[in-house]
Amino acid sequence: MDAAASLARFALEHPLRTALLALPAFLLGLLVKNAYKVFLAPHFSSLRSVPGPPPDHPLWGNLQSLIDEEPGKAHARWTEEFGGAVRYRGLLGGERLILTDPAALNHVLTSHTYDYAKPDDVRGDLAMVLGKGLVFAEGETHRRQRRLMNSAFAPSNLKAMTVGFFEHAHQLRDIWKGMVEAGQVDSKAWKNDEAADAYQAGKPDAGFGYNFQALSLKSDALAQAFASLFSPRDAPGKPHPSRLLVNNVIGACLHALPILKLAEYLPDERLKSIKQALNTLEVESRKIVQAKMEKADQEDALPKKDLLSILLSTKAKDTMSPEEVRGQLTTFLFAGHETISNSLSWVLWEFACHPDKQARLRAEVRAARKLAQRDGRDELNSDELSGLEYLDAVTREILRLEPPLSSTPRVAQKNDVIPLSVPVKSATDPSQTIDHIVVRKGQSISIGVYAANRDKSIFGDDADDFRPERWLDDDNKIETKVGGWSGLMTFLAGPRACIGYKFALLEFKAVLSVLVDSFEFDRRDADIQIEHRAQVITRPFVVNEMELGTRMPLKIRLAKADETDEV
Ligand code: HEM
């Protein structure tokens, strides 16, 4: 008792000395805790029988492979070697489970959706930037918001929006035509007279009836705020895993502090620009919602061609405050931002590499357009667009091969058992297989989008090749048991699958049909190499030109009007 009292007196009298004594004790505790996590915990883990690569390093597990390889590649390699459930290690022994098995995906994404939520740090960042919209919401709130939003994507609305998609496509075509005819050169977007940057020029405005002006290669305040938050021009680097460890510690501290509130007092330019972009996002999106609301009242009877006007004409308007509508606007802009333009630039790249495939699509589109013109229409309607077989096959193939999200994270909200449709070899007893996985609350999971889309057991040995014909081949129909559009993971599956997927497919098809009808695409140079790097989504970068940021430079010529390729 006396000893305790004298220790307390000592601590009060000499707080600095006490702190100095406590620090080593704290560090020792941290060391013991992490040593347990790295060396002992894996032996008691419920995942210990799940197969996977041995860790490359005791402190950063398999992170080096994930950093070195293009997004999704390591997942695909491990899935090919070990099967539809793979365990690997992250920082300080943290275990992660990659899932591509159909029964497991169905369980996590569809039948037990809300038991597998997005990680808290991801949700926190989303809420800070976008407000609490659909991407952020979980559980009952998500169910309610989703029901309200669904009606905006009803078939009749998508039909009306298709008119807007074609208007956007024609604007883009006219800008590109003007550039090709003028032989215009811009040192950043254009490398020579005939090469255009399909990535920067191809950004659609996501059908919001609010022009991002990306079409004319200028940006307004909102577009700039989005670009600085979600697509900074610097190419993402390949940091050493130890750097990630340091970043994690700093990130945890930043999350604990009101760092953005203090941004203007801190000597950090990046923080200041984030703060400024967030303010712009808030002010500008509020203005758009206000303007749209006023217009919606005046133009009630007019057909609506953009998503926000449609949203404001559904009953969602009566049940959501302007602030909630604003949250949905920024959420839709975020989720649709660059996903479609990214897919467009990849497909144009594949066409540049496969002239026969672009010619085949051009012939199909021209034949359909001729029929529409005989009917007195300049463009296809949404049914005609969806009915083009080769266009559909090309769309499936590029979204299979180049999903904007190579994987997406989830965290188990409770202890659970995940079933497997194809058993995997047990890591603890290779003579046995396992057909289910016991997961504990808090377990991190990666949905292997890229790995599932390139599964050789489903798509064959040419799974890494761009071959739209695989979707047309009757003798060899693709049978994937994975739920979701086309049996692919690109838009995920279940109650949290992409709500905008039909919108995305129609906009993608409308723009591609117009571009391929008007232009021929070729590689800028025969030996140009494009690399995939992750920056929110997987984006193209030109090897040895990383400093120029995300780009997809292509040679573009006007397509001959009298081309008569057979479909
Ligand atoms: C090629 C284009 C697109 C792809 C590949 C894509 C993919 C995805 C994926 C994988 C998710 C699930 C993310 C997760 O939960 O981890 C998602 C969610 C979402 N997407 Fe898309 N998306 C695309 C375009 C769009 C467009 C154009 C819109 C809006 C107009 C949109 C709106 C949304 C929304 C709101 C969510 C959240 C849904 C929810 O949690 O209920 N997406 N998208």
Side-chain angles (χ1 to χ4, degrees):
M1 193 62 196
D2 275 358
S6 60
L7 194 64
R9 207 172 318 114
F10 175 81
L12 285 172
E13 281 168 11
H14 308 280
L16 191 62
R17 228 185 292 166
T18 314
L20 283 176
L21 283 175
L23 190 64
F26 173 74
L27 290 178
L28 188 69
L30 209 62
L31 199 70
V32 171
K33 186 178 159 211
N34 282 314
Y36 171 79
K37 248 180 85 186
V38 173
F39 299 109
L40 284 178
H43 299 288
F44 303 110
S45 159
S46 71
L47 299 186
R48 65 189 180 282
S49 58
V50 180
D56 305 325
H57 190 277
L59 293 182
W60 29 88
N62 305 95
L63 278 191
Q64 192 72 59
S65 304
L66 292 170
I67 293 168
D68 288 346
E69 296 180 50
E70 293 194 338
K73 280 231 159 118
H75 285 187
R77 193 163 49 77
W78 294 331
T79 298
E80 200 181 333
E81 187 177 348
F82 301 105
V86 175
R87 169 176 83 141
Y88 75 88
R89 306 274 181 78
L91 286 176
L92 299 176
E95 288 178 308
R96 187 163 280 217
L97 184 62
I98 311 166
L99 295 178
T100 51
D101 178 273
L105 290 176
N106 183 50
H107 181 92
V108 169
L109 297 175
T110 306
S111 57
H112 293 69
T113 316
Y114 299 117
D115 293 341
Y116 293 89
K118 295 195 177 111
D120 284 346
D121 54 342
V122 173
R123 292 184 72 226
D125 289 347
L126 287 171
M128 182 178 70
V129 180
L130 305 172
K132 298 186 175 175
L134 200 58
V135 182
F136 165 85
E138 290 288 344
E140 201 38 54
T141 314
H142 176 264
R143 220 191 303 265
R144 184 184 65 85
Q145 287 194 3
R146 179 99 187 190
R147 245 194 331 265
L148 288 169
M149 300 290 118
N150 265 339
S151 59
F153 294 94
S156 57
N157 289 333
L158 288 169
K159 273 188 181 159
M161 282 191 271
T162 306
V163 179
F165 297 154
F166 274 114
E167 279 172 11
H168 160 237
H170 291 165
Q171 275 176 293
L172 181 57
R173 175 197 61 198
D174 294 345
I175 289 167
W176 282 15
K177 265 191 179 165
M179 287 170 133
V180 171
E181 280 161 4
Q184 197 180 330
V185 180
D186 169 311
S187 61
K188 280 239 163 65
W190 297 59
K191 195 72 181 178
N192 60 37
D193 286 1
E194 286 183 316
D197 181 356
Y199 195 93
Q200 293 302 328
K203 284 180 189 168
D205 66 357
F208 280 94
Y210 178 77
N211 196 353
F212 253 6
Q213 294 185 348
L215 299 182
S216 53
L217 304 179
K218 284 188 224 121
S219 280
D220 61 13
L222 188 63
Q224 265 173 16
F226 256 87
S228 91
L229 286 169
F230 301 118
S231 44
R233 276 200 77 78
D234 304 341
K238 293 190 169 189
H240 189 267
S242 58
R243 180 67 206 259
L244 292 184
L245 189 61
V246 174
N247 284 0
N248 265 20
V249 175
I250 296 176
C253 297
L254 292 188
H255 272 108
L257 292 170
I259 203 81
L260 279 174
K261 288 203 177 103
L262 302 174
E264 51 205 286
Y265 308 106
L266 297 172
D268 184 324
E269 288 311 311
R270 174 81 188 130
L271 269 184
K272 283 197 176 85
S273 84
I274 292 179
K275 169 91 176 169
Q276 203 172 16
L278 287 175
N279 285 348
T280 310
L281 199 67
E282 194 175 328
V283 172
E284 292 296 314
S285 55
R286 197 165 283 151
K287 272 194 218 156
I288 298 166
V289 170
Q290 190 58 38
K292 284 277 171 193
M293 279 182 151
E294 282 162 16
K295 227 171 165 194
D297 292 340
Q298 292 157 16
E299 297 178 354
D300 246 357
L302 295 179
K304 314 265 186 301
K305 287 187 292 189
D306 69 85
L307 188 56
L308 188 58
S309 306
I310 286 171
L311 195 63
L312 289 172
S313 65
T314 65
K315 67 178 180 268
K317 174 180 85 166
D318 306 324
T319 38
M320 288 195 298
S321 66
E323 210 39 40
E324 268 184 295
V325 176
R326 192 187 76 76
Q328 303 303 350
L329 163 73
T330 45
T331 296
F332 282 140
L333 277 177
F334 164 74
H337 188 65
E338 308 215 359
T339 43
I340 301 174
S341 59
N342 190 56
S343 306
L344 277 167
S345 31
W346 284 117
V347 78
L348 296 184
W349 165 253
E350 291 295 348
F351 277 171
C353 301
H354 301 95
D356 55 322
K357 300 196 194 302
Q358 64 169 298
R360 180 171 178 178
L361 182 61
R362 187 170 302 118
E364 183 184 61
V365 168
R366 286 183 171 181
R369 194 159 277 147
K370 263 189 204 132
L371 288 180
Q373 278 160 356
R374 254 184 246 159
D375 222 18
R377 287 174 288 123
D378 182 33
E379 266 312 343
L380 308 178
N381 60 35
S382 60
D383 291 341
E384 288 162 344
L385 194 62
S386 306
L388 296 184
E389 275 193 0
Y390 196 62
L391 177 60
D392 193 57
V394 165
T395 306
R396 284 169 205 258
E397 186 64 350
I398 202 66
L399 289 172
R400 179 188 74 79
L401 208 57
E402 303 290 358
L405 281 185
S406 61
S407 66
T408 189
R410 293 291 187 265
V411 174
Q413 302 300 297
K414 56 183 198 187
N415 296 345
D416 196 14
V417 177
I418 300 178
L420 296 177
S421 52
V422 180
V424 293
K425 220 179 235 176
S426 164
T428 42
D429 179 359
S431 67
Q432 301 288 313
T433 56
I434 51 171
D435 61 6
H436 64 271
I437 299 167
V438 176
V439 291
R440 300 212 175 108
K441 184 177 171 180
Q443 176 59 51
S444 293
I445 290 173
S446 268
I447 307 296
V449 175
Y450 177 103
N453 283 3
R454 291 187 181 222
D455 187 338
K456 292 204 168 85
S457 68
I458 294 167
F459 297 101
D461 286 342
D462 65 356
D464 291 333
D465 298 343
F466 176 73
R467 197 172 67 79
E469 289 71 16
R470 76 176 79 243
W471 298 98
L472 301 172
D473 198 350
D474 269 344
D475 299 335
N476 197 12
K477 270 268 175 258
I478 295 163
E479 277 201 32
T480 110
K481 295 189 180 60
V482 171
W485 171 75
S486 254
L488 298 173
M489 272 293 110
T490 306
F491 294 108
L492 288 197
R496 296 217 72 143
C498 176
I499 197 173
Y501 84 97
K502 286 188 181 153
F503 173 109
L505 293 175
L506 275 173
E507 174 149 20
F508 177 87
K509 287 182 177 183
V511 178
L512 182 59
S513 72
V514 169
L515 293 182
V516 84
D517 183 359
S518 313
F519 304 102
E520 281 175 22
F521 301 94
D522 200 352
R523 279 170 294 176
R524 189 191 68 192
D525 330 292
D527 54 358
I528 186 172
Q529 284 178 41
I530 305 292
E531 187 174 321
H532 300 67
R533 294 240 180 139
Q535 207 174 45
V536 186
I537 55 171
T538 306
R539 299 163 193 263
F541 289 84
V542 180
V543 173
N544 298 330
E545 295 171 22
M546 291 287 173
E547 71 287 355
L548 295 179
T550 308
R551 288 160 78 242
M552 179 64 87
L554 296 170
K555 266 191 193 166
I556 297 183
R557 279 185 297 274
L558 297 185
K560 290 185 209 83
D562 56 353
E563 195 175 319
T564 51
D565 295 11
E566 290 300 315
V567 183

